[in-house]
């Protein structure tokens, strides 16, 4: 998640510092996310370098991929999430970083995962961050993402007890940004997911699997 305080809304860092481990409980066992991780595991060689953007508590993404034998780095704007992830998934490396300013290592990553990290920011930052993440995928590498799609800009909502401003892009715009960044979209789908807990409303999720072709 990227930190972006907006008038009338809390910053992502503040929100996720407070939410902490509750996020893992409320958004557990998302079928589309688990399916994306299965797809990714089948494509990666042992020891492949994977970046988990918006790594949260480290579960399930970093945990699943580390257990599968990959070298996982997680970044999150929340210091509390980074602390929790380090405890839960000691086999991965985590650092506090903003997706808009993070600098990847030379050569990028064999895979980049982005499960819901771009919602608490302005719409231009959503598009820019999506293109940045795509650029970090090495030739022959893979990209998986999930988000709540829609042409939404700075919509005020109450989420897990916090007032936040959320933005997103329509599905076709999400795909266009990835394709303009040189990725080939091989799968995309939407599904409803109901978070756990009282009063939770179903959410529409978009899942995308993509790859960067090998250099000619």
């Amino acid at each position: 998640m990227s930190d972006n305080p907006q008038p009338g809304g809390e910053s992502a860092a503040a929100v996720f510092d407070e939410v902490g481990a509750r996020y893992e409980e409320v958004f557990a066992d998302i079928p589309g996310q688990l399916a994306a991780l299965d797809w990714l595991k089948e494509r990666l060689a042992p020891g492949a370098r994977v970046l988990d953007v918006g790594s949260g508590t480290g579960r399930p993404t970093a945990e699943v991929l580390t257990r599968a034998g990959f070298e996982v780095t997680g970044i999150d704007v929340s210091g509390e999430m980074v602390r929790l992830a380090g405890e839960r998934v000691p086999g991965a490396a985590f650092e506090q970083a903003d997706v808009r300013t993070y600098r990847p290592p030379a050569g990028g990553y064999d895979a980049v995962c982005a499960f819901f990290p771009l919602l608490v920011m302005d719409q231009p930052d959503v598009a820019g961050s999506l293109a940045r993440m795509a650029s970090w995928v090495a030739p022959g590498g893979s990209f998986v993402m999930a988000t709540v799609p829609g042409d939404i800009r700075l919509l005020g909502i109450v989420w897990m007890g916090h007032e936040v401003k959320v933005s997103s892009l329509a599905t076709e715009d999400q795909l266009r940004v990835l394709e303009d960044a040189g990725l080939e979209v091989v799968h995309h789908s939407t599904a409803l997911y109901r978070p756990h807990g009282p009063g939770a409303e179903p959410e529409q999720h978009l899942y995308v699997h993509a790859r960067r072709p090998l250099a000619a």
Side-chain angles (χ1 to χ4, degrees):
M1 186 67 67
S2 184
D3 195 23
N4 192 32
Q6 300 290 345
E10 299 178 60
S11 74
V15 169
F16 282 88
D17 281 347
E18 178 64 26
V19 168
R22 286 194 296 134
Y23 183 89
E24 182 182 320
E25 299 165 2
V26 173
F27 292 92
D29 303 321
I30 302 178
Q33 182 174 359
L34 297 176
L37 292 175
D38 285 342
W39 179 83
L40 194 60
K41 286 190 296 181
E42 293 176 356
R43 298 185 57 84
L44 294 176
R49 297 188 303 173
V50 183
L51 178 67
D52 180 14
V53 180
S55 46
T57 67
R59 294 174 175 166
T61 302
E63 184 175 64
V64 166
L65 296 176
T66 299
R67 286 181 175 175
F70 307 123
E71 180 184 323
V72 180
T73 298
I75 62 171
D76 201 287
V77 75
S78 164
E80 175 63 9
M81 287 296 196
V82 169
R83 184 191 69 80
L84 289 169
E87 291 180 350
R88 284 161 164 71
V89 193
F94 299 95
E95 61 180 283
Q96 188 172 1
D98 189 312
V99 65
R100 295 169 299 178
T101 55
Y102 174 73
R103 293 185 177 276
Y109 291 91
D110 300 304
V112 174
C113 304
F115 294 109
F116 309 101
L118 305 182
L119 292 167
V120 187
M121 59 171 66
D122 201 354
Q123 200 174 51
D125 285 335
V126 174
S129 298
L130 192 57
R132 292 192 84 233
M133 292 189 299
S135 75
W136 302 338
V137 179
S142 301
F143 178 82
V144 292
M145 66 163 284
T147 193
V148 178
D151 185 5
I152 303 163
R153 185 168 190 186
L154 299 179
L155 175 66
I157 65 170
V158 176
W159 181 82
M160 294 188 70
H162 295 267
E163 293 184 359
V164 296
K165 297 275 190 171
V166 298
S167 302
S168 189
L169 303 174
T171 295
E172 58 269 23
D173 293 324
Q174 304 264 3
L175 302 180
R176 176 185 52 77
V177 170
L178 296 176
E179 290 168 348
D180 287 349
L183 297 188
E184 176 191 350
V185 174
V186 298
H187 167 83
H188 68 92
S189 63
T190 56
L192 279 178
Y193 173 77
R194 184 183 292 275
H196 302 275
E201 295 292 331
E203 298 179 348
Q204 182 86 353
H205 289 174
L206 167 68
Y207 300 95
V208 181
H209 305 174
R211 61 181 294 274
R212 182 174 296 284
L214 288 168

